[in-house]
Amino acid sequence: MAKTKTEPWFYLNDYRGKDFAGEWPTFPEMLKIQTSRYPDRPYFVDFDGPNGSKNVLTYAQVFDKVQNLAKWMIVNGLEKGDKVVVSGKNAPEWGVVYLAALYASGIIVPIDAALPEKEMLNLLEVAKPKFIFVDDEKIAYINEKYPDTPVFSLNSSNAEKYVYNIKTDKEVEYNEPVKEDDTAAILFTSGTTGNPKGVMLSHKNFISDGFIAQKNFNHYPTDVFYALLPIHHAYTMQAAFINPMLTGASIVFGKSMAVTRLLKELREGKITVMLGVPLLYNKLLAGIRKGIKEKGAFVSGLLNGLCNFSYFLKRYLHINIGKLIFKPVLQKASIYTLRVAISGGGPLAASVFKQYNGMGIDFIQGYGLTETSPIITLNPVDKFKIHSVGQAFFPYMDVKIINKDEKSHRKVERQIGEIAVKGPMVMQGYYNMPEETAAMFTEDGYLKTGDLGWMDESSIKKYEEPKPTPAPTPAPAPAPRPLSVGDTVKIVGTGNGSSYGKSNTAYGIGWTRQILKIWEGRPYPYQVGNNTGTTGFYKAEALQRK
């Protein structure tokens, strides 16, 4: 870890050897450091007070709750390396459980609260936790199906089981402190039925990745992060839960994407850093565009022109005038305080990216995997590229392209291969899966991401296999014209009235004949024949139309 004053983690040198001994602090060490720096700064915030009012916990208050719960866990049998499951909606209580488990030298196992109950039970069987913390609606089922493990509530309505009410007055002998290479969390990424795959990430994995990512993403103690996406996911966990702690910033826990609540939290929370997926940003921008369009063609055209001009200045001259021009528009959309928007989980349309930047909001796109804690690359705010997933963080990590093959991308032939990465953010492995873990790495220790891409002089580009061109839909064949006199037909049914005096309905079936006359209105209308004369009345199908 470098020690120059330009690094985001330079301030840690004031605490090295005194408050932590490793290359990177652990979660408990990091929490202590930030509490000593900013004891009265807001840390955990939500809008679940009476009538949707704001609740605030400072760093000192969060630290106190974390210590209380950690002590209770130890008194009730938690030993170093034991697992604690947390599964619930985004909330300060979720964060307290997460940090308390680590403070007690345990391993946190965040589980998706939206999983069906049977799938959650499957993960519990794999993790074998010492304690389980969930929202109230899951407690009864888990008590019934997993009765040997104590279950507690993340909701204040359940006072007896509520996490903030769990305390002990007993003297506590703390477990052996964790070290940076100890496992901090197990994140299940797939296989929720059968044999689930759990990614083991250490304290060093998380903390190093969070700090190193700040090389392309500056944030400050005065920032307010919005944790709106599900926080059990590595993307939200790192960008909106762990990163704020690394600088002493605040976190607003969002629980719903309902528009009214979303706009209230953005506005009253004074959010400065938000992370989302393209769908969320598209939704916000659609509202902005609608408002602009309602101002009339002239004003709408003027604002669009100003947005393009502002984007040009920001992109090429690094001059940001967007917030000045679009202040009323951004205030109406409740995002005027927004400084940085982070997009992940899929490609963002170039038009959306440009418009947010044109309105003065820095937009960051990145790339990563749960297996890399999860950030591998980020687009620098001042040198962003729309079609790039960002820059890797050399020399703190290394990225290379393996198994290259020539492919066409945007009509340019490129050497495209699998993206492989090595660095302090790369996982320890899959939980209890040594063979699957070994298969993920090259012989020289690079993690194989499974994603294709290529590198230019400054960034990494992901390659998406082109979608196959759909075969043209054939034009419908014209409806055949009705049979007429002179057509050659095959007899498929016969009726009474044969000129041969035959009344057997099977008579003549299969013959090939020519239509001599058509009797309209009969079920067997065709009178057919050949050079020997005519026959009776038949049902026929065309072999050849004249």
Side-chain angles (χ1 to χ4, degrees), residues 478-498:
R481 64 167 174 78
L483 293 175
S484 61
V485 173
D487 288 341
T488 300
V489 296
K490 179 181 179 181
I491 297 171
V492 295
T494 62
N496 293 332
S498 166

Side-chain angles (χ1 to χ4, degrees), residues 73 101 108 111 122 217 240 252-253 268 321 386 414 509 525 541:
M73 289 179 178
I108 192 69
I111 293 179
N122 193 41
F217 166 37
V252 172
F253 292 84
E268 297 183 17
I321 62 171
I386 292 178
R414 301 187 183 279
I509 290 177
E541 63 180 18

Side-chain angles (χ1 to χ4, degrees), residues 228-389:
L228 178 63
L229 301 179
I231 202 169
H232 75 277
H233 193 280
Y235 170 43
T236 313
M237 190 184 304
Q238 177 61 268
F241 180 70
I242 296 171
N243 248 268
M245 181 175 66
L246 304 185
T247 49
S250 303
I251 305 168
V252 172
F253 292 84
K255 295 183 179 180
S256 169
M257 287 196 188
V259 174
T260 302
R261 178 160 184 157
L262 172 67
L263 296 180
K264 171 186 169 67
E265 291 174 347
L266 283 167
R267 181 177 60 256
E268 297 183 17
K270 294 181 170 56
I271 305 299
T272 63
V273 180
M274 175 179 177
L275 70 156
V277 292
L279 179 64
L280 174 60
Y281 292 119
N282 293 343
K283 188 176 182 180
L284 283 172
L285 190 56
I288 292 173
R289 286 173 171 170
K290 181 181 178 182
I292 291 175
K293 191 175 181 180
E294 289 173 350
K295 295 180 182 297
F298 175 77
V299 174
S300 177
L302 178 63
L303 289 175
N304 286 332
L306 287 172
C307 191
N308 290 333
F309 176 66
S310 174
Y311 174 81
F312 176 84
L313 291 179
K314 188 172 185 291
R315 175 71 178 86
Y316 297 103
L317 301 179
H318 308 303
I319 299 172
N320 190 352
I321 62 171
K323 284 282 188 80
L324 181 65
I325 297 173
F326 291 96
K327 181 177 180 179
V329 173
L330 297 175
Q331 284 179 327
K332 186 175 181 180
S334 302
I335 57 173
Y336 177 68
T337 59
L338 190 62
R339 188 176 65 82
V340 178
I342 307 169
S343 181
L348 189 74
S351 60
V352 176
F353 186 91
K354 286 181 179 179
Q355 188 156 355
Y356 275 107
N357 272 280
M359 291 187 297
I361 296 172
D362 290 329
F363 228 98
I364 296 177
Q365 294 189 89
Y367 163 64
L369 311 169
T370 301
E371 288 86 345
T372 57
S373 308
I375 301 170
I376 296 175
T377 65
L378 284 178
N379 249 319
V381 168
D382 58 341
K383 296 178 181 177
F384 58 84
K385 294 184 178 182
I386 292 178
H387 298 296
S388 167
V389 294

Side-chain angles (χ1 to χ4, degrees), residues 508-519:
I509 290 177
W511 286 357
T512 299
R513 294 289 186 267
Q514 194 176 54
I515 296 177
L516 302 179
K517 189 174 181 178
I518 298 176
W519 299 77

Side-chain angles (χ1 to χ4, degrees), residues 1-35:
M1 178 168 58
K3 298 181 181 180
T4 64
K5 291 185 178 180
T6 60
E7 310 301 354
W9 53 86
F10 177 76
Y11 76 87
L12 290 178
N13 293 320
D14 294 337
Y15 301 90
R16 189 182 306 280
K18 179 179 63 173
D19 293 283
F20 74 99
E23 183 182 12
W24 299 96
T26 63
F27 277 92
E29 290 165 343
M30 198 70 246
L31 181 60
K32 288 179 184 177
I33 289 170
Q34 297 300 45
T35 301

